[in-house]
Amino acid sequence: MKTLHCSALLLACISVSVQAAEWNAVVSVSPKAGEFATIRQALAAAPDSGTPWRILVKEGRWNERLVIEKPVTLVGESKTQTQIEANTPAGALDDSGQKLGTGRTSTVEIRASNVTIENLTIRNSFDFPANAALPDGDAKKLKDTQAVALMVSENVDKARFRHVRLEGYQDTFYSKSGSRSYFTDCDVSGHVDFIFGPGIAVFDRCEIIARNRSDIAPPYGYITAPATQADEKFGLFIINSKLSKEAGVPAKSFALGRPWHPTTQFSDGRYADPNAIGLAAFINCDIDDHIYGWDKMSGKDKAGEKIWFYPEDSRFYESANRGPGAGQGGEKYQLSAADAAQYSLATIFADWDKGLLE
C-alpha cells in the first residue's frame, strides 16, 4: 500500500492503492465481481480469529451502523470521501419504543481487540443545531442529544486509529471501561464532552476541533469528560496535538474537561460513582484562545439530590502546552516534566507490539 503523509497537525491525507492482492475484501458503492456492497457484509465474511482481515472501503457515503466483533483492519480509500455515518441521537426510540440512551447511539462500535481503522470518516449525523433551533414544546425536539460517532467497548485492547476523522457534537468519542485505544494524525470534532469515558485513550498528533453553536451563551462545551476509576493510572490523553476551533467560536468558551461521575447502581442505591476520579491530560499541545481552563460537573447523590464535582478534586493536568489557551486553569494543574514522563506511550502501552505504536 502506497501512502502519502501530509503535515501531522493539519488535515492528514493518504493515497491508497487499490490492488486486489493487498485486500481480503473490498467494499464499493458499485461492486464488481468478488466485491461487497456494504461494510457490514465484509465484516460478516471475516474470520473470527487469526491475522486481522484487511478490508478496503472505497470512496462513498455508507449509511451503516457497524459493530465490529472480529479482528479486522478497515481502511478507507479517502479520509474525507470514505464516510461512515448514522443519525442516532440518545433521544431516538428503538423498535420497542425505548430511548436509545448514549450507550446505544454509536455509528461504529468496537467490541473486538486487535482492530485497526485508517483513512476514513466516522460521523454521527444527528443534526444538533437543527434540533436546538426547534421551539420549546415542539414534539420533534429531542432533549437527549448525545450522539456517539465511535465507541470502544469494555475491555477492548489494541484499538488502533490512523488518519481517521470523527465528527459529532455531544459525546463524539466514548472510551469504555477497561479499553485501550491509540489515535494518530486524527481529527475529532464536537462540543459537549466529546472525548469521554472511563477507558484509556491517547490522541497523538491529532487536531481536536471545538464546534460553534448559537443556542446558548458560553460556555459552549468541554473537550473531555473522563470517568477514570480511582485505582486506574491512565485515562484520556491529548499529546503533541492542536486544539482548534470552528469559525465564530469566541475566546474562553470551552473547558479542557470536567469530571464525569456516572450514575451507577450500587448495593445501597443508584447515584454518582464516587470512585470515578477522572484523569485527563494535555501534554505538548498548541491551544487556541477558546479554552478557559477546567470546569465542574453535577451528579446525583443517594437521595437523588444534585451535587457538584470539582476539577481540583480530579486528576486534570497540563504540561508544556503553548498558545493563548494554555495554562488557563492555573499552576495547580501543571505537571513537571518529570511527572509528565510517567505518561509516555511506552508506559501506557507497555505490552503492545512496537508496530502498533508506529
Side-chain angles (χ1 to χ4, degrees):
M1 182 174 70
K2 299 177 182 178
T3 61
L4 173 65
H5 296 274
C6 294
S7 174
L9 290 179
L10 298 175
L11 291 178
C13 66
I14 295 181
S15 171
V16 179
S17 66
V18 186
Q19 298 179 9
E22 297 181 10
W23 310 101
N24 300 109
V26 175
V27 184
S28 173
V29 292
S30 301
K32 300 175 182 177
E35 296 182 342
F36 293 94
T38 69
I39 304 170
R40 187 177 291 107
Q41 290 171 348
L43 291 172
D48 292 329
S49 60
T51 302
W53 249 41
R54 291 179 53 79
I55 301 171
L56 173 68
V57 184
K58 292 186 179 180
E59 290 187 0
R61 179 171 287 186
W62 306 91
N63 289 286
E64 299 190 59
R65 296 193 67 192
L66 303 178
V67 178
I68 300 179
E69 300 180 285
K70 302 173 182 179
V72 298
T73 295
L74 192 68
V75 181
E77 188 176 16
S78 165
K79 179 180 178 181
T80 58
Q81 298 305 312
T82 301
Q83 304 174 14
I84 307 170
E85 66 177 8
N87 182 348
T88 50
L93 304 182
D94 63 18
D95 292 340
S96 64
Q98 300 297 311
K99 288 184 180 181
L100 291 178
T102 304
R104 293 197 292 156
T105 64
S106 57
T107 299
V108 175
E109 178 183 357
I110 312 295
R111 291 185 183 172
S113 294
N114 297 295
V115 169
T116 296
I117 298 181
E118 301 180 1
N119 204 46
L120 49 74
T121 293
I122 300 172
R123 173 188 304 117
N124 195 311
S125 55
F126 171 63
D127 194 338
F128 186 103
N131 183 77
L134 293 173
D136 292 340
D138 190 314
K140 293 180 292 185
K141 186 170 187 175
L142 298 182
K143 178 182 178 182
D144 302 308
T145 54
Q146 302 89 338
V148 177
L150 173 66
M151 181 165 68
V152 179
S153 285
E154 289 92 346
N155 302 315
V156 165
D157 198 20
K158 299 180 180 177
R160 187 66 172 93
F161 304 91
R162 299 181 180 94
H163 298 272
V164 171
R165 185 172 182 87
L166 303 180
E167 295 182 1
Y169 288 94
Q170 182 174 1
D171 292 0
T172 305
F173 170 68
Y174 191 177
S175 176
K176 299 199 79 173
S177 179
S179 67
R180 284 191 298 177
S181 52
Y182 181 41
F183 297 76
T184 50
D185 304 297
C186 294
D187 309 310
V188 188
S189 64
H191 49 45
V192 176
D193 305 333
F194 63 99
I195 298 173
F196 77 109
I200 297 168
V202 178
F203 293 84
D204 186 3
R205 307 190 309 271
C206 294
E207 184 164 8
I208 312 301
I209 306 161
R211 304 194 76 164
N212 200 11
R213 58 191 304 184
S214 59
D215 56 306
I216 60 171
Y220 283 175
Y222 317 90
I223 308 298
T224 63
T228 324
Q229 287 292 293
D231 59 356
E232 174 58 67
K233 294 189 297 182
F234 306 118
L236 304 178
F237 296 91
I238 317 296
I239 64 174
N240 310 315
S241 292
K242 180 179 180 180
L243 274 65
S244 65
K245 61 180 184 177
E246 289 184 342
V249 173
K252 298 187 183 303
S253 58
F254 277 80
L256 290 175
R258 60 178 183 169
W260 182 35
H261 290 250
T263 302
T264 305
Q265 184 65 52
F266 297 98
S267 60
D268 59 347
R270 181 174 173 80
Y271 49 90
D273 184 359
N275 299 311
I277 309 300
L279 194 164
F282 293 77
I283 299 172
N284 194 37
C285 293
D286 288 297
I287 303 179
D288 208 340
D289 67 356
H290 59 300
I291 297 299
Y292 60 82
W294 304 87
D295 214 327
K296 63 185 184 298
M297 191 173 188
S298 66
K300 295 292 181 67
D301 63 15
K302 293 180 183 180
E305 299 296 326
K306 179 186 284 191
I307 54 175
W308 288 97
F309 299 96
Y310 294 91
E312 56 265 31
D313 300 320
S314 305
R315 292 174 288 175
F316 288 165
Y317 306 126
E318 283 194 68
S319 179
N321 294 324
R322 303 163 296 278
Q328 293 299 304
E331 284 299 319
K332 60 180 174 293
Y333 298 105
Q334 295 294 322
L335 286 176
S336 68
D339 287 336
Q342 68 184 304
Y343 299 126
S344 69
L345 296 177
T347 303
I348 298 169
F349 303 116
D351 56 338
W352 282 25
D353 295 335
K354 182 179 178 181
L356 278 176
L357 300 179
E358 294 176 342

